[in-house]
Amino acid sequence: MANDDIDNNDESELDQDAMADEWAAAMQEQEVVDSAAEDDASAMALDELKQEGRPREVGPELDLILDIPVTISMEVGSTSITIRNLLQLNQGSVIELDRLAGEPLDVKVNGTLIAHGEVVVVNEKFGIRMTDVISPSERIKKLR
């Protein structure tokens, strides 16, 4: 019986090793795909900056918009409640949101979704680590 347990443990370890190798290969393939997608998105964004068949010069006009402040916010979740329930809220009230615990937060700039992320603590302050950033071409499409 003990030999059967050892054989089962060896098979289990071999299965786990094989699964780990498959995951590693899949992650490498995804990195290659992501890299190609980023190159395509960069090319598309540059194409959109071209005007009348010639590239726009990046100069003082671009410098003007680079200093415009924008509001960045993180959305934990949302819900709808009636005004009656809203008026009944007081200290200690709990509002259930539409998002599961541990699910990524939405990162929005001026109300437009640009990324998803997770909460981190940096120097005793909250921060957000970007886990999934919307491609530049998708962000440009949403602005139109």
Side-chain angles (χ1 to χ4, degrees):
M1 190 78 142
N3 286 339
D4 289 340
D5 289 340
I6 292 171
D7 290 341
N8 288 338
N9 287 339
D10 289 343
E11 288 176 17
S12 176
E13 287 178 18
L14 290 175
D15 290 345
Q16 289 178 354
D17 290 344
M19 188 180 298
D21 291 342
E22 289 177 20
W23 273 103
M27 294 299 286
Q28 284 179 330
E29 287 176 19
Q30 185 62 39
E31 287 175 7
V32 170
V33 170
D34 288 346
S35 176
E38 286 176 13
D39 292 344
D40 290 346
S42 297
M44 287 172 43
L46 289 175
D47 287 344
E48 291 181 11
L49 290 176
K50 290 182 181 177
Q51 182 179 1
E52 299 176 12
R54 58 187 165 91
R56 283 182 56 189
E57 291 183 20
V58 177
E61 351 175 305
L62 187 58
D63 285 340
L64 290 175
I65 65 168
L66 292 178
D67 292 329
I68 295 174
V70 295
T71 301
I72 188 168
S73 61
M74 277 45 90
E75 186 174 292
V76 176
S78 61
T79 192
S80 295
I81 62 172
T82 63
I83 293 174
R84 179 183 326 277
N85 290 343
L86 178 64
L87 294 174
Q88 292 173 350
L89 294 176
N90 54 38
Q91 186 172 353
S93 296
V94 176
I95 301 171
E96 185 177 341
L97 302 176
D98 63 352
R99 193 150 312 178
L100 298 173
E103 201 172 335
L105 307 180
D106 290 340
V107 180
K108 295 183 175 185
V109 172
N110 287 346
T112 301
L113 179 68
I114 63 150
H116 298 285
E118 59 189 15
V119 176
V120 295
V121 177
V122 181
N123 296 330
E124 298 182 15
K125 293 184 180 182
F126 287 116
I128 189 158
R129 177 182 297 122
M130 304 293 191
T131 57
D132 178 39
V133 179
I134 309 296
S135 71
S137 60
E138 288 296 316
R139 284 183 267 168
I140 289 170
K141 286 178 187 176
K142 288 184 179 186
L143 290 175
R144 292 182 181 171

mmCIF file of all heavy atoms in Angstrom, residues 74-108:
data_model
loop_
_atom_site.group_PDB
_atom_site.id
_atom_site.type_symbol
_atom_site.label_atom_id
_atom_site.label_comp_id
_atom_site.label_asym_id
_atom_site.label_seq_id
_atom_site.Cartn_x
_atom_site.Cartn_y
_atom_site.Cartn_z
ATOM 1 N N MET A 74 -10.469 55.659 -9.437
ATOM 2 C CA MET A 74 -10.587 54.215 -9.378
ATOM 3 C C MET A 74 -11.981 53.879 -8.892
ATOM 4 O O MET A 74 -12.428 54.407 -7.881
ATOM 5 C CB MET A 74 -9.567 53.616 -8.402
ATOM 6 C CG MET A 74 -8.172 53.405 -8.949
ATOM 7 S SD MET A 74 -7.449 54.716 -9.885
ATOM 8 C CE MET A 74 -6.631 55.683 -8.665
ATOM 9 N N GLU A 75 -12.661 53.023 -9.625
ATOM 10 C CA GLU A 75 -14.027 52.658 -9.269
ATOM 11 C C GLU A 75 -14.036 51.245 -8.693
ATOM 12 O O GLU A 75 -13.699 50.287 -9.376
ATOM 13 C CB GLU A 75 -14.925 52.737 -10.501
ATOM 14 C CG GLU A 75 -16.371 52.522 -10.186
ATOM 15 C CD GLU A 75 -17.240 52.752 -11.411
ATOM 16 O OE1 GLU A 75 -17.340 53.905 -11.854
ATOM 17 O OE2 GLU A 75 -17.800 51.764 -11.915
ATOM 18 N N VAL A 76 -14.424 51.146 -7.425
ATOM 19 C CA VAL A 76 -14.501 49.857 -6.748
ATOM 20 C C VAL A 76 -15.706 49.075 -7.230
ATOM 21 O O VAL A 76 -15.656 47.866 -7.400
ATOM 22 C CB VAL A 76 -14.576 50.055 -5.213
ATOM 23 C CG1 VAL A 76 -14.756 48.732 -4.497
ATOM 24 C CG2 VAL A 76 -13.348 50.770 -4.709
ATOM 25 N N GLY A 77 -16.781 49.749 -7.500
ATOM 26 C CA GLY A 77 -18.014 49.113 -7.949
ATOM 27 C C GLY A 77 -19.133 50.122 -7.897
ATOM 28 O O GLY A 77 -18.927 51.280 -7.529
ATOM 29 N N SER A 78 -20.312 49.690 -8.245
ATOM 30 C CA SER A 78 -21.462 50.595 -8.199
ATOM 31 C C SER A 78 -22.723 49.792 -7.916
ATOM 32 O O SER A 78 -22.721 48.567 -7.960
ATOM 33 C CB SER A 78 -21.600 51.346 -9.528
ATOM 34 O OG SER A 78 -21.814 50.430 -10.572
ATOM 35 N N THR A 79 -23.778 50.519 -7.622
ATOM 36 C CA THR A 79 -25.083 49.911 -7.397
ATOM 37 C C THR A 79 -26.145 50.986 -7.549
ATOM 38 O O THR A 79 -25.826 52.176 -7.566
ATOM 39 C CB THR A 79 -25.160 49.244 -6.003
ATOM 40 O OG1 THR A 79 -26.324 48.432 -5.933
ATOM 41 C CG2 THR A 79 -25.199 50.271 -4.889
ATOM 42 N N SER A 80 -27.368 50.593 -7.675
ATOM 43 C CA SER A 80 -28.488 51.541 -7.730
ATOM 44 C C SER A 80 -29.361 51.321 -6.506
ATOM 45 O O SER A 80 -29.647 50.176 -6.148
ATOM 46 C CB SER A 80 -29.331 51.308 -8.988
ATOM 47 O OG SER A 80 -28.578 51.583 -10.135
ATOM 48 N N ILE A 81 -29.734 52.430 -5.871
ATOM 49 C CA ILE A 81 -30.650 52.336 -4.738
ATOM 50 C C ILE A 81 -31.706 53.415 -4.899
ATOM 51 O O ILE A 81 -31.515 54.392 -5.619
ATOM 52 C CB ILE A 81 -29.931 52.480 -3.374
ATOM 53 C CG1 ILE A 81 -29.268 53.844 -3.227
ATOM 54 C CG2 ILE A 81 -28.916 51.382 -3.173
ATOM 55 C CD1 ILE A 81 -28.705 54.104 -1.829
ATOM 56 N N THR A 82 -32.804 53.267 -4.214
ATOM 57 C CA THR A 82 -33.868 54.262 -4.272
ATOM 58 C C THR A 82 -33.508 55.459 -3.402
ATOM 59 O O THR A 82 -32.659 55.368 -2.509
ATOM 60 C CB THR A 82 -35.200 53.672 -3.768
ATOM 61 O OG1 THR A 82 -35.049 53.321 -2.392
ATOM 62 C CG2 THR A 82 -35.600 52.451 -4.588
ATOM 63 N N ILE A 83 -34.141 56.563 -3.663
ATOM 64 C CA ILE A 83 -33.901 57.763 -2.850
ATOM 65 C C ILE A 83 -34.296 57.491 -1.405
ATOM 66 O O ILE A 83 -33.624 57.923 -0.466
ATOM 67 C CB ILE A 83 -34.666 58.969 -3.432
ATOM 68 C CG1 ILE A 83 -34.056 59.333 -4.791
ATOM 69 C CG2 ILE A 83 -34.624 60.160 -2.478
ATOM 70 C CD1 ILE A 83 -34.789 60.412 -5.547
ATOM 71 N N ARG A 84 -35.372 56.723 -1.195
ATOM 72 C CA ARG A 84 -35.817 56.380 0.158
ATOM 73 C C ARG A 84 -34.680 55.684 0.926
ATOM 74 O O ARG A 84 -34.350 56.049 2.046
ATOM 75 C CB ARG A 84 -37.041 55.471 0.108
ATOM 76 C CG ARG A 84 -37.563 55.037 1.476
ATOM 77 C CD ARG A 84 -38.742 54.077 1.387
ATOM 78 N NE ARG A 84 -39.637 54.317 0.256
ATOM 79 C CZ ARG A 84 -40.629 55.226 0.233
ATOM 80 N NH1 ARG A 84 -40.854 55.978 1.278
ATOM 81 N NH2 ARG A 84 -41.389 55.368 -0.838
ATOM 82 N N ASN A 85 -34.042 54.682 0.268
ATOM 83 C CA ASN A 85 -32.933 53.975 0.917
ATOM 84 C C ASN A 85 -31.718 54.876 1.096
ATOM 85 O O ASN A 85 -30.999 54.775 2.090
ATOM 86 C CB ASN A 85 -32.552 52.728 0.122
ATOM 87 C CG ASN A 85 -33.618 51.655 0.207
ATOM 88 O OD1 ASN A 85 -34.484 51.692 1.077
ATOM 89 N ND2 ASN A 85 -33.565 50.706 -0.704
ATOM 90 N N LEU A 86 -31.481 55.768 0.141
ATOM 91 C CA LEU A 86 -30.367 56.710 0.247
ATOM 92 C C LEU A 86 -30.527 57.607 1.472
ATOM 93 O O LEU A 86 -29.581 57.840 2.220
ATOM 94 C CB LEU A 86 -30.288 57.560 -1.030
ATOM 95 C CG LEU A 86 -29.207 58.634 -1.055
ATOM 96 C CD1 LEU A 86 -27.819 58.014 -1.002
ATOM 97 C CD2 LEU A 86 -29.369 59.505 -2.282
ATOM 98 N N LEU A 87 -31.756 58.079 1.702
ATOM 99 C CA LEU A 87 -32.012 58.960 2.836
ATOM 100 C C LEU A 87 -31.917 58.228 4.172
ATOM 101 O O LEU A 87 -31.720 58.849 5.211
ATOM 102 C CB LEU A 87 -33.387 59.627 2.682
ATOM 103 C CG LEU A 87 -33.500 60.604 1.508
ATOM 104 C CD1 LEU A 87 -34.935 61.084 1.353
ATOM 105 C CD2 LEU A 87 -32.543 61.773 1.690
ATOM 106 N N GLN A 88 -32.050 56.919 4.149
ATOM 107 C CA GLN A 88 -31.982 56.133 5.382
ATOM 108 C C GLN A 88 -30.554 55.746 5.761
ATOM 109 O O GLN A 88 -30.327 55.206 6.834
ATOM 110 C CB GLN A 88 -32.841 54.871 5.264
ATOM 111 C CG GLN A 88 -34.318 55.160 5.193
ATOM 112 C CD GLN A 88 -35.152 53.928 4.916
ATOM 113 O OE1 GLN A 88 -34.625 52.873 4.601
ATOM 114 N NE2 GLN A 88 -36.461 54.074 5.019
ATOM 115 N N LEU A 89 -29.585 56.019 4.900
ATOM 116 C CA LEU A 89 -28.189 55.673 5.193
ATOM 117 C C LEU A 89 -27.658 56.524 6.332
ATOM 118 O O LEU A 89 -27.959 57.715 6.438
ATOM 119 C CB LEU A 89 -27.310 55.884 3.953
ATOM 120 C CG LEU A 89 -27.569 54.990 2.758
ATOM 121 C CD1 LEU A 89 -26.671 55.402 1.596
ATOM 122 C CD2 LEU A 89 -27.346 53.533 3.106
ATOM 123 N N ASN A 90 -26.885 55.904 7.211
ATOM 124 C CA ASN A 90 -26.220 56.648 8.270
ATOM 125 C C ASN A 90 -24.886 55.962 8.556
ATOM 126 O O ASN A 90 -24.526 54.983 7.896
ATOM 127 C CB ASN A 90 -27.105 56.746 9.524
ATOM 128 C CG ASN A 90 -27.568 55.390 10.009
ATOM 129 O OD1 ASN A 90 -26.830 54.421 9.965
ATOM 130 N ND2 ASN A 90 -28.818 55.314 10.454
ATOM 131 N N GLN A 91 -24.175 56.481 9.536
ATOM 132 C CA GLN A 91 -22.865 55.918 9.860
ATOM 133 C C GLN A 91 -22.998 54.438 10.192
ATOM 134 O O GLN A 91 -23.869 54.042 10.971
ATOM 135 C CB GLN A 91 -22.258 56.664 11.040
ATOM 136 C CG GLN A 91 -20.846 56.239 11.341
ATOM 137 C CD GLN A 91 -20.202 57.127 12.397
ATOM 138 O OE1 GLN A 91 -20.767 58.127 12.816
ATOM 139 N NE2 GLN A 91 -19.022 56.737 12.817
ATOM 140 N N GLY A 92 -22.174 53.623 9.564
ATOM 141 C CA GLY A 92 -22.219 52.183 9.791
ATOM 142 C C GLY A 92 -23.044 51.416 8.774
ATOM 143 O O GLY A 92 -23.008 50.183 8.744
ATOM 144 N N SER A 93 -23.793 52.132 7.926
ATOM 145 C CA SER A 93 -24.574 51.462 6.883
ATOM 146 C C SER A 93 -23.634 50.796 5.883
ATOM 147 O O SER A 93 -22.547 51.298 5.609
ATOM 148 C CB SER A 93 -25.464 52.467 6.137
ATOM 149 O OG SER A 93 -26.425 53.028 6.992
ATOM 150 N N VAL A 94 -24.067 49.675 5.340
ATOM 151 C CA VAL A 94 -23.275 48.944 4.345
ATOM 152 C C VAL A 94 -24.067 48.906 3.043
ATOM 153 O O VAL A 94 -25.250 48.582 3.034
ATOM 154 C CB VAL A 94 -22.968 47.507 4.820
ATOM 155 C CG1 VAL A 94 -22.237 46.719 3.743
ATOM 156 C CG2 VAL A 94 -22.155 47.533 6.109
ATOM 157 N N ILE A 95 -23.395 49.233 1.953
ATOM 158 C CA ILE A 95 -24.020 49.198 0.635
ATOM 159 C C ILE A 95 -23.332 48.101 -0.167
ATOM 160 O O ILE A 95 -22.117 48.120 -0.330
ATOM 161 C CB ILE A 95 -23.870 50.545 -0.095
ATOM 162 C CG1 ILE A 95 -24.498 51.665 0.732
ATOM 163 C CG2 ILE A 95 -24.472 50.473 -1.485
ATOM 164 C CD1 ILE A 95 -24.201 53.044 0.198
ATOM 165 N N GLU A 96 -24.111 47.161 -0.668
ATOM 166 C CA GLU A 96 -23.555 46.075 -1.471
ATOM 167 C C GLU A 96 -23.310 46.572 -2.892
ATOM 168 O O GLU A 96 -24.178 47.184 -3.502
ATOM 169 C CB GLU A 96 -24.523 44.888 -1.492
ATOM 170 C CG GLU A 96 -23.964 43.677 -2.206
ATOM 171 C CD GLU A 96 -24.916 42.493 -2.155
ATOM 172 O OE1 GLU A 96 -25.820 42.475 -1.298
ATOM 173 O OE2 GLU A 96 -24.749 41.590 -2.984
ATOM 174 N N LEU A 97 -22.103 46.297 -3.410
ATOM 175 C CA LEU A 97 -21.735 46.727 -4.755
ATOM 176 C C LEU A 97 -21.853 45.576 -5.737
ATOM 177 O O LEU A 97 -21.989 44.423 -5.345
ATOM 178 C CB LEU A 97 -20.308 47.286 -4.754
ATOM 179 C CG LEU A 97 -20.068 48.462 -3.809
ATOM 180 C CD1 LEU A 97 -18.602 48.862 -3.830
ATOM 181 C CD2 LEU A 97 -20.946 49.643 -4.193
ATOM 182 N N ASP A 98 -21.762 45.896 -7.016
ATOM 183 C CA ASP A 98 -21.921 44.895 -8.074
ATOM 184 C C ASP A 98 -20.639 44.138 -8.402
ATOM 185 O O ASP A 98 -20.596 43.375 -9.346
ATOM 186 C CB ASP A 98 -22.449 45.564 -9.349
ATOM 187 C CG ASP A 98 -21.501 46.603 -9.920
ATOM 188 O OD1 ASP A 98 -20.490 46.934 -9.253
ATOM 189 O OD2 ASP A 98 -21.767 47.099 -11.024
ATOM 190 N N ARG A 99 -19.583 44.338 -7.634
ATOM 191 C CA ARG A 99 -18.303 43.730 -7.941
ATOM 192 C C ARG A 99 -17.901 42.773 -6.826
ATOM 193 O O ARG A 99 -18.150 43.027 -5.658
ATOM 194 C CB ARG A 99 -17.255 44.820 -8.070
ATOM 195 C CG ARG A 99 -16.010 44.291 -8.682
ATOM 196 C CD ARG A 99 -15.219 45.246 -9.465
ATOM 197 N NE ARG A 99 -15.988 46.026 -10.417
ATOM 198 C CZ ARG A 99 -15.451 46.948 -11.158
ATOM 199 N NH1 ARG A 99 -14.190 47.205 -11.073
ATOM 200 N NH2 ARG A 99 -16.178 47.642 -12.005
ATOM 201 N N LEU A 100 -17.276 41.654 -7.202
ATOM 202 C CA LEU A 100 -16.829 40.667 -6.230
ATOM 203 C C LEU A 100 -15.546 41.125 -5.554
ATOM 204 O O LEU A 100 -14.741 41.847 -6.155
ATOM 205 C CB LEU A 100 -16.574 39.320 -6.920
ATOM 206 C CG LEU A 100 -17.776 38.659 -7.592
ATOM 207 C CD1 LEU A 100 -17.334 37.431 -8.371
ATOM 208 C CD2 LEU A 100 -18.822 38.296 -6.553
ATOM 209 N N ALA A 101 -15.337 40.687 -4.310
ATOM 210 C CA ALA A 101 -14.101 40.990 -3.599
ATOM 211 C C ALA A 101 -12.940 40.371 -4.366
ATOM 212 O O ALA A 101 -13.020 39.245 -4.839
ATOM 213 C CB ALA A 101 -14.166 40.435 -2.180
ATOM 214 N N GLY A 102 -11.862 41.123 -4.535
ATOM 215 C CA GLY A 102 -10.698 40.625 -5.251
ATOM 216 C C GLY A 102 -10.741 40.878 -6.745
ATOM 217 O O GLY A 102 -9.754 40.673 -7.449
ATOM 218 N N GLU A 103 -11.870 41.330 -7.256
ATOM 219 C CA GLU A 103 -11.994 41.627 -8.687
ATOM 220 C C GLU A 103 -11.259 42.943 -8.975
ATOM 221 O O GLU A 103 -11.243 43.837 -8.131
ATOM 222 C CB GLU A 103 -13.480 41.767 -9.033
ATOM 223 C CG GLU A 103 -13.802 41.586 -10.482
ATOM 224 C CD GLU A 103 -15.311 41.545 -10.734
ATOM 225 O OE1 GLU A 103 -16.080 41.190 -9.825
ATOM 226 O OE2 GLU A 103 -15.706 41.886 -11.848
ATOM 227 N N PRO A 104 -10.638 43.081 -10.163
ATOM 228 C CA PRO A 104 -9.900 44.316 -10.463
ATOM 229 C C PRO A 104 -10.797 45.545 -10.453
ATOM 230 O O PRO A 104 -11.977 45.472 -10.775
ATOM 231 C CB PRO A 104 -9.360 44.081 -11.876
ATOM 232 C CG PRO A 104 -9.496 42.638 -12.148
ATOM 233 C CD PRO A 104 -10.575 42.121 -11.256
ATOM 234 N N LEU A 105 -10.195 46.686 -10.085
ATOM 235 C CA LEU A 105 -10.902 47.958 -10.093
ATOM 236 C C LEU A 105 -10.831 48.568 -11.483
ATOM 237 O O LEU A 105 -9.915 48.284 -12.246
ATOM 238 C CB LEU A 105 -10.239 48.928 -9.112
ATOM 239 C CG LEU A 105 -10.036 48.468 -7.678
ATOM 240 C CD1 LEU A 105 -9.358 49.570 -6.876
ATOM 241 C CD2 LEU A 105 -11.345 48.090 -7.044
ATOM 242 N N ASP A 106 -11.788 49.438 -11.808
ATOM 243 C CA ASP A 106 -11.739 50.194 -13.058
ATOM 244 C C ASP A 106 -10.937 51.460 -12.814
ATOM 245 O O ASP A 106 -11.154 52.160 -11.826
ATOM 246 C CB ASP A 106 -13.146 50.587 -13.523
ATOM 247 C CG ASP A 106 -13.955 49.401 -14.001
ATOM 248 O OD1 ASP A 106 -13.354 48.360 -14.338
ATOM 249 O OD2 ASP A 106 -15.196 49.505 -14.050
ATOM 250 N N VAL A 107 -9.993 51.765 -13.714
ATOM 251 C CA VAL A 107 -9.225 53.005 -13.651
ATOM 252 C C VAL A 107 -9.771 53.898 -14.757
ATOM 253 O O VAL A 107 -9.779 53.517 -15.919
ATOM 254 C CB VAL A 107 -7.718 52.741 -13.863
ATOM 255 C CG1 VAL A 107 -6.935 54.040 -13.796
ATOM 256 C CG2 VAL A 107 -7.203 51.743 -12.831
ATOM 257 N N LYS A 108 -10.242 55.074 -14.361
ATOM 258 C CA LYS A 108 -10.869 55.986 -15.319
ATOM 259 C C LYS A 108 -10.158 57.331 -15.314
ATOM 260 O O LYS A 108 -9.744 57.815 -14.264
ATOM 261 C CB LYS A 108 -12.349 56.188 -14.968
ATOM 262 C CG LYS A 108 -13.161 54.909 -15.108
ATOM 263 C CD LYS A 108 -14.616 55.153 -14.828
ATOM 264 C CE LYS A 108 -15.424 53.888 -15.097
ATOM 265 N NZ LYS A 108 -16.854 54.140 -14.939
#
